[in-house]
């Protein structure tokens, strides 16, 4: 419980660097700079380019609102961290919702596509199965664990991961090791089914 | 003496300083166990990396310029509709505090999930406590709260405008905490061990409602069926948080431990929270019954049940305590000389995760931990 109090307190420290204020030109520049990363991570999670684009646009819409709105707090402490966190939160939540609603439909769709592949149908089916399984594992993990794996796989340093998830850099190694264990356990469970 | 897991994992990723890396590698030369651990860790990291690489995509994507145009279209569309809503002020105030009600009240749950209650104990000036059974179950809580906290940070974290917010400060004893808090801090004589006592200074939270974000929050916690009128946008709510004192007994995973305490540690942790009631500046024309209904609906009540319950409750003076469907609760006639509510999640024959809440002489008390609930009541009765 107290950790939550401390966490809240830490997030309220004044911005020290990397903060962003409003302005259309600045926003355009931010967009150009960060869109590939944001889209990349949402596409990795969701797999569908249209869905990933839609969700990534939502992330930048929220960024736009913060920067252009008349709220007193218009600065974002660490933009890259904020973008990654927003993108992974929204995408993982979408994945979990999708998993609940359309599990079998998605799987059927994926396999239909693979079966219609002319060149390497068996390999394509296996790759399709793997993607479905990995996404199912991520959707079923604790959000923070899934985020850790995704952010680390995207190439963020421990410091960047810590900023994105609002944890201490010294904790990233421990949490990452545990997230990997959890991933493998869950993967094996699904593989066995 | 072995190298801890996190350090080994950081070595695998090349994230240690030169000095630290040298130290660890020197150790690995002479420690077969650590060498085995790091080998296993490296192999697992590679396997997981291969799995994650299956998600790589070679899809061609439109140029960034085209995407930027699509974003602008989205911005223009949303801003146009928002301008229209600025003229629909009729129902704005009725829903203003809904987000805060939902967020704070959901936080009043069990200690094994992350809880904001240390700062946001309740709304309004609390004079009584009313438990209400909701359909949300304990089993749903971890995923629910993960999604909720994940969303909360995204949607709310940068929006809250804190006038002044200081870190919890550890103090020497109850006497020092009393001086700081401005009320007499009481501790249980039933406990033999010395507590860690923390003081959190009073502060003010101002929150400006963003309707889009609020509706997204409801969607993300699985209650997209609850529709908040769009006219709520831009309304401001001010919450005055009181001075809070927290006394932690046993091993509670404090300072530096990002993980939940281990099962062994958790069994001895007990937290006693005490604070005056927070107050909220709420526009006078606020429809509190409607807000309360939303809060109850978010927790799983049907529209009809929520409406019926909301009608009977004085939301201005009552702390409505949501009880998960698979938890047990008792309304205790006498806790520390006053009525209270005990909520528990039994574990084994005699033990339970418990939360005991009561109000005495204008101070709100919360006792949380893992123990025989009968002992928790004895602890509460022994406050001096």
């Amino acid at each position: 419980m107290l950790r939550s109090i401390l966490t809240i307190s830490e997030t309220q420290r004044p911005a020290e660097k990397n903060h962003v204020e409003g302005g259309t030109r600045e926003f355009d520049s931010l967009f150009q700079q960060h869109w590939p990363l944001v889209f990349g991570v949402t596409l990795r999670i969701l797999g569908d380019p249209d869905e990933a684009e839609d969700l990534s646009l939502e992330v930048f819409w929220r960024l736009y609102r913060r920067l252009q709105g008349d709220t007193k707090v218009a600065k974002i402490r660490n933009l890259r961290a904020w973008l990654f966190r927003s993108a992974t939160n929204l995408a993982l939540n979408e994945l979990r919702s999708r998993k609940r609603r359309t599990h079998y439909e998605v799987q059927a769709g994926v396999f239909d596509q693979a079966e219609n592949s002319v060149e390497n149908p068996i390999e394509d089916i296996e790759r399709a199965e793997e993607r479905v399984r990995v996404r199912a594992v991520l959707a079923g993990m604790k959000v923070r664990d899934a985020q850790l794996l995704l952010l680390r796989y995207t190439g963020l340093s421990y410091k960047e991961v810590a900023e994105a998830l609002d944890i201490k850099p010294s904790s990233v190694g421990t949490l990452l090791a545990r997230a990997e264990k959890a991933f493998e356990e869950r993967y094996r469970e699904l593989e066995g089914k | 003496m072995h190298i801890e897991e996190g350090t080994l994992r950081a070595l695998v990723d090349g994230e240690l300083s030169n000095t630290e890396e040298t130290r660890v590698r020197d150790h690995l030369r002479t420690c077969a166990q650590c060498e085995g651990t790091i080998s296993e860790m490296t192999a697992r990291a590679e396997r997981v990396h291969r799995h994650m690489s299956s998600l790589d995509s070679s899809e061609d994507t439109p140029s960034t310029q085209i995407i930027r145009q699509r974003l602008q279209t989205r911005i223009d569309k949303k801003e146009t509709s928002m301008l229209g809503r600025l003229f629909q002020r009729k129902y704005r105030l009725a829903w203003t505090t809904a987000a805060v009600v939902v967020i704070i009240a959901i936080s009043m749950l069990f200690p094994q999930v992350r809880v904001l209650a240390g700062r946001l104990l309740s709304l309004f000036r609390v004079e009584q406590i009313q438990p209400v059974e909701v359909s949300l179950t304990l089993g749903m809580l971890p995923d629910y709260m993960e999604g909720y906290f994940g969303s909360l940070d995204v949607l709310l974290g940068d929006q809250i405008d804190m006038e002044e917010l200081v870190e919890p400060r550890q103090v020497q004893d109850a006497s020092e905490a009393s001086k700081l808090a401005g009320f007499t801090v009481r501790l249980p004589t039933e406990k033999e061990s010395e507590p860690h006592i923390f003081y959190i200074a009073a502060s003010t939270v101002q929150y400006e409602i963003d309707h889009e974000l609020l509706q997204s929050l409801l969607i993300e916690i699985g209650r997209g069926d609850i529709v908040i009128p769009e006219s709520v946008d831009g309304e401001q709510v001010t919450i005055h948080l009181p001075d809070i004192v927290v006394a932690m007994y046993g091993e509670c995973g404090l300072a530096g431990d990002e993980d939940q305490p281990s099962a062994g540690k958790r069994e001895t942790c007990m937290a006693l929270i005490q604070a005056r009631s927070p107050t909220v500046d709420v526009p006078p024309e606020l429809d509190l019954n409607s807000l309360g209904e939303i809060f109850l609906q978010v927790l799983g009540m049907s529209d009809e049940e929520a409406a019926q319950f909301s009608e009977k409750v004085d939301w201005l003076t009552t702390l409505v305590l949501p009880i998960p469907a698979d938890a047990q609760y008792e309304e205790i006639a006498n806790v520390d000389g006053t009525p209270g509510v005990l909520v528990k999640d039994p574990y084994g024959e005699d033990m339970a995760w418990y939360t005991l809440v009561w109000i005495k002489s204008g101070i709100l008390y919360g006792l949380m931990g893992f123990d025989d609930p009968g002992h928790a009541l004895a602890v509460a009765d022994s406050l001096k």
Side-chain angles (χ1 to χ4, degrees), chain B residues 20-210:
Chain B
E20 188 66 358
E21 184 172 335
T22 303
R23 179 185 78 84
V24 173
R25 289 201 186 280
D26 283 345
H27 175 86
L28 289 175
R29 282 191 203 99
T30 57
C31 179
Q33 184 173 327
C34 286
E35 181 60 43
T37 302
I38 201 171
S39 294
E40 196 182 305
M41 222 176 240
T42 305
R44 183 182 301 118
E46 284 169 3
R47 290 194 296 270
V48 173
H49 186 90
R50 277 198 298 276
H51 289 309
M52 296 295 285
S53 69
S54 71
L55 303 181
D56 290 345
S57 171
S58 56
E59 294 274 351
D60 288 328
T61 57
S63 74
T64 312
Q65 200 172 355
I66 293 174
I67 301 290
R68 179 65 183 93
Q69 284 166 7
R70 289 180 188 166
L71 175 61
Q72 194 58 46
T73 303
R74 182 178 289 221
I75 289 169
D76 292 341
K77 194 173 160 185
K78 289 199 185 198
E79 282 190 329
T80 303
S81 58
M82 275 183 176
L83 279 173
R85 288 197 295 273
L86 279 177
F87 294 99
Q88 297 172 15
R89 296 188 69 89
K90 184 178 173 187
Y91 299 108
R92 281 175 62 154
L93 298 178
W95 302 93
T96 298
T97 313
V100 184
V101 173
V102 163
I103 289 156
I104 294 173
I106 283 175
S107 304
M108 289 297 297
L109 295 177
F110 287 84
Q112 67 266 40
V113 298
R114 289 166 56 188
V115 177
L116 287 170
R119 292 214 67 89
L120 304 174
L121 285 172
S122 72
L123 269 191
F124 312 124
R125 197 178 297 278
V126 175
E127 294 170 9
Q128 60 219 354
I129 302 168
Q130 173 65 56
V132 58
E133 292 179 27
V134 296
S135 64
L136 190 66
T137 65
L138 292 169
M140 291 159 68
L141 275 176
D143 283 350
Y144 189 93
M145 298 305 282
E146 284 287 355
Y148 162 59
F149 279 109
S151 303
L152 181 61
D153 189 45
V154 169
L155 300 179
L156 219 57
D158 289 316
Q159 264 215 29
I160 290 183
D161 179 13
M162 299 289 192
E163 206 177 80
E164 182 187 289
L165 190 66
V166 296
E167 286 190 46
R169 176 179 146 191
Q170 188 156 3
V171 296
Q172 287 281 87
D173 51 29
S175 171
E176 187 182 349
S178 299
K179 281 188 196 128
L180 291 168
F183 62 86
T184 304
V185 170
R186 300 156 71 217
L187 294 179
T189 55
E190 178 75 14
K191 298 292 283 185
E192 290 173 1
S193 58
E194 290 298 312
H196 294 281
I197 304 178
F198 297 86
Y199 163 74
I200 302 161
S203 57
T204 299
V205 179
Q206 280 187 313
Y207 176 72
E208 186 172 312
I209 296 290
D210 184 319

Side-chain angles (χ1 to χ4, degrees), chain B residues 127 332-341 357-361 365 381:
Chain B
E127 294 170 9
I332 311 282
N334 189 340
V335 177
D336 190 25
T338 186
V341 177
V357 185
W358 72 101
I359 299 162
K360 179 162 181 162
S361 306
Y365 292 92
D381 283 339

Side-chain angles (χ1 to χ4, degrees), chain A residues 13 54 85 178 184, chain B residues 9 47 74 153 167 259:
Chain A
R13 289 203 185 106
D54 185 63
R85 192 169 63 240
R178 291 178 189 176
E184 277 216 311
Chain B
R9 187 66 186 85
R47 290 194 296 270
R74 182 178 289 221
D153 189 45
E167 286 190 46
D259 299 320

Side-chain angles (χ1 to χ4, degrees), chain B residues 144-355:
Chain B
Y144 189 93
M145 298 305 282
E146 284 287 355
Y148 162 59
F149 279 109
S151 303
L152 181 61
D153 189 45
V154 169
L155 300 179
L156 219 57
D158 289 316
Q159 264 215 29
I160 290 183
D161 179 13
M162 299 289 192
E163 206 177 80
E164 182 187 289
L165 190 66
V166 296
E167 286 190 46
R169 176 179 146 191
Q170 188 156 3
V171 296
Q172 287 281 87
D173 51 29
S175 171
E176 187 182 349
S178 299
K179 281 188 196 128
L180 291 168
F183 62 86
T184 304
V185 170
R186 300 156 71 217
L187 294 179
T189 55
E190 178 75 14
K191 298 292 283 185
E192 290 173 1
S193 58
E194 290 298 312
H196 294 281
I197 304 178
F198 297 86
Y199 163 74
I200 302 161
S203 57
T204 299
V205 179
Q206 280 187 313
Y207 176 72
E208 186 172 312
I209 296 290
D210 184 319
H211 171 267
E212 295 278 344
L213 299 183
L214 177 56
Q215 196 67 63
S216 299
L217 173 66
L218 288 172
I219 291 168
E220 283 166 21
I221 60 172
R223 291 310 308 267
D225 55 307
I226 297 173
V227 177
I228 309 288
E230 294 172 345
S231 48
V232 67
D233 198 55
E235 198 56 45
Q236 198 156 71
V237 175
T238 304
I239 304 171
H240 302 285
L241 298 172
D243 297 284
I244 300 171
V245 175
V246 183
M248 309 279 276
Y249 291 85
E251 293 178 68
C252 297
L254 294 176
D257 180 5
E258 292 290 339
D259 299 320
Q260 294 289 334
S262 68
K265 287 184 183 178
R266 190 182 287 146
E267 288 177 8
T268 65
C269 180
M270 188 194 84
L272 172 65
I273 304 164
Q274 42 201 298
R276 293 193 198 285
S277 170
T279 59
V280 180
D281 291 339
V282 171
E285 43 281 42
L286 193 60
D287 179 0
L288 294 175
N289 280 1
S290 298
L291 292 179
E293 279 180 52
I294 294 175
F295 159 47
L296 294 171
Q297 284 174 46
V298 168
L299 292 176
M301 266 192 173
S302 71
D303 294 357
E304 201 184 315
E305 286 169 335
Q308 282 171 4
F309 183 90
S310 183
E311 290 266 306
K312 297 178 203 158
V313 167
D314 179 356
W315 288 96
L316 265 179
T317 60
T318 304
L319 169 63
V320 177
L321 193 63
I323 312 295
D326 52 349
Q328 300 171 9
Y329 79 94
E330 290 173 53
E331 293 184 62
I332 311 282
N334 189 340
V335 177
D336 190 25
T338 186
V341 177
L342 173 67
V343 188
K344 54 189 180 183
D345 175 25
Y347 182 89
E349 278 189 28
D350 301 314
M351 304 293 275
W353 290 101
Y354 66 86
T355 299

Side-chain angles (χ1 to χ4, degrees), chain A residues 1-13 24 27-28 31-33 35-36 39 43-45 47 49 53-62 64-66 68 70-77 82 85-87 89-90 93 96-97 100 127 130-132 134-135 138 140-144 146 149-150 152-153 156-159 164-168 170-184 187-188, chain B residues 4-7 9-11 13-15 40-41 43-45 47-57 59-62 64-65 67-68 70-72 74-75 78-79 82 111 113-120 142-144 146-147 149-151 153-162 165-168 198 200 206 208-213 216 219-220 222 233 236 246 248 252-260 271 273 368:
Chain A
M1 179 201 78
L2 198 58
R3 183 172 70 80
S4 299
I5 299 170
L6 295 168
T7 301
I8 293 165
S9 298
E10 284 162 15
T11 63
Q12 304 308 322
R13 289 203 185 106
T24 306
F27 180 78
D28 283 344
F31 180 83
Q32 299 286 341
Q33 186 186 348
W35 170 263
F39 179 70
L43 181 61
R44 181 166 293 121
I45 295 170
E53 180 185 306
D54 185 63
L55 201 133
S56 302
L57 286 176
E58 182 62 23
V59 171
F60 280 95
W61 153 246
R62 293 180 185 193
Y64 177 83
R65 280 273 295 167
R66 274 183 165 74
Q68 300 296 325
D70 60 355
T71 56
K72 288 182 186 176
V73 179
K75 295 179 184 177
I76 296 177
R77 191 175 67 253
W82 186 93
R85 192 169 63 240
S86 305
N89 272 336
L90 290 178
N93 282 336
R96 287 147 86 94
S97 299
R100 281 193 295 274
R127 274 197 288 270
E130 169 72 350
R131 284 195 294 272
V132 167
V134 171
R135 289 199 173 102
L138 290 172
M141 292 176 75
K142 289 185 182 179
V143 171
R144 189 181 70 178
L149 294 177
L150 285 159
R152 193 58 204 143
Y153 182 76
L156 269 64
S157 67
Y158 276 27
K159 183 168 180 287
L165 299 183
D166 204 18
I167 58 178
K168 293 185 182 179
S170 57
S171 301
V172 173
T174 304
L175 295 174
L176 186 58
R178 291 178 189 176
E180 285 167 343
K181 262 189 220 161
F183 180 96
E184 277 216 311
Y187 185 90
R188 284 193 198 114
Chain B
E4 62 169 11
E5 182 185 47
T7 305
R9 187 66 186 85
L11 177 66
D13 284 337
E15 288 275 350
E40 196 182 305
M41 222 176 240
R44 183 182 301 118
R47 290 194 296 270
V48 173
H49 186 90
R50 277 198 298 276
H51 289 309
M52 296 295 285
S53 69
S54 71
L55 303 181
D56 290 345
S57 171
E59 294 274 351
D60 288 328
T61 57
T64 312
Q65 200 172 355
I67 301 290
R68 179 65 183 93
R70 289 180 188 166
L71 175 61
Q72 194 58 46
R74 182 178 289 221
I75 289 169
K78 289 199 185 198
E79 282 190 329
M82 275 183 176
V113 298
R114 289 166 56 188
V115 177
L116 287 170
R119 292 214 67 89
L120 304 174
D143 283 350
Y144 189 93
E146 284 287 355
F149 279 109
S151 303
D153 189 45
V154 169
L155 300 179
L156 219 57
D158 289 316
Q159 264 215 29
I160 290 183
D161 179 13
M162 299 289 192
L165 190 66
V166 296
E167 286 190 46
F198 297 86
I200 302 161
Q206 280 187 313
E208 186 172 312
I209 296 290
D210 184 319
H211 171 267
E212 295 278 344
L213 299 183
S216 299
I219 291 168
E220 283 166 21
D233 198 55
Q236 198 156 71
V246 183
M248 309 279 276
C252 297
L254 294 176
D257 180 5
E258 292 290 339
D259 299 320
Q260 294 289 334
I273 304 164
M368 304 175 181

